[in-house]
Amino acid sequence: MATSLKLVCEVALMAALGRAVLRRLPGVDAAANPFVRLLDWLVRPAEQLAGRAMVPALLGLWLLATAAKISLCLGQGGCR
């Protein structure tokens, strides 16, 4: 569970970062660029859930999931 949550947060954060970078490049038409539209599609669910606080919310979830994963690994005596 912690690993899956961590993965979802990482994908959403990387998609948001990629979208922000692509939109700031000169000459990139965000409406016509298929990569920007793909990144919009990936980020849209997180934006709908968290609104303008999406990045801090995802970072907080990622930190909680990482802490949970570390505590599970330390409790079992090793990680795979």
Side-chain angles (χ1 to χ4, degrees), residues 15-47:
L17 177 65
R19 182 180 68 170
V21 168
L22 281 176
R23 286 188 174 183
R24 281 167 180 68
L25 290 175
V28 174
D29 182 17
N33 190 323
F35 297 110
V36 175
R37 290 190 317 206
L38 174 67
L39 294 173
D40 281 338
W41 181 76
L42 287 171
V43 174
R44 191 174 307 126
E47 283 182 336

Side-chain angles (χ1 to χ4, degrees), residues 3-78:
T3 304
S4 299
L5 179 62
K6 190 171 175 278
L7 176 66
V8 169
C9 290
E10 288 169 353
V11 168
L13 286 167
M14 288 297 158
L17 177 65
R19 182 180 68 170
V21 168
L22 281 176
R23 286 188 174 183
R24 281 167 180 68
L25 290 175
V28 174
D29 182 17
N33 190 323
F35 297 110
V36 175
R37 290 190 317 206
L38 174 67
L39 294 173
D40 281 338
W41 181 76
L42 287 171
V43 174
R44 191 174 307 126
E47 283 182 336
Q48 289 175 349
L49 287 174
R52 296 187 58 88
M54 178 192 68
V55 172
L58 286 174
L59 284 173
L61 281 173
W62 181 83
L63 286 171
L64 287 174
T66 301
K69 186 176 177 184
I70 289 171
S71 69
L72 284 173
C73 288
L74 292 176
Q76 294 175 355

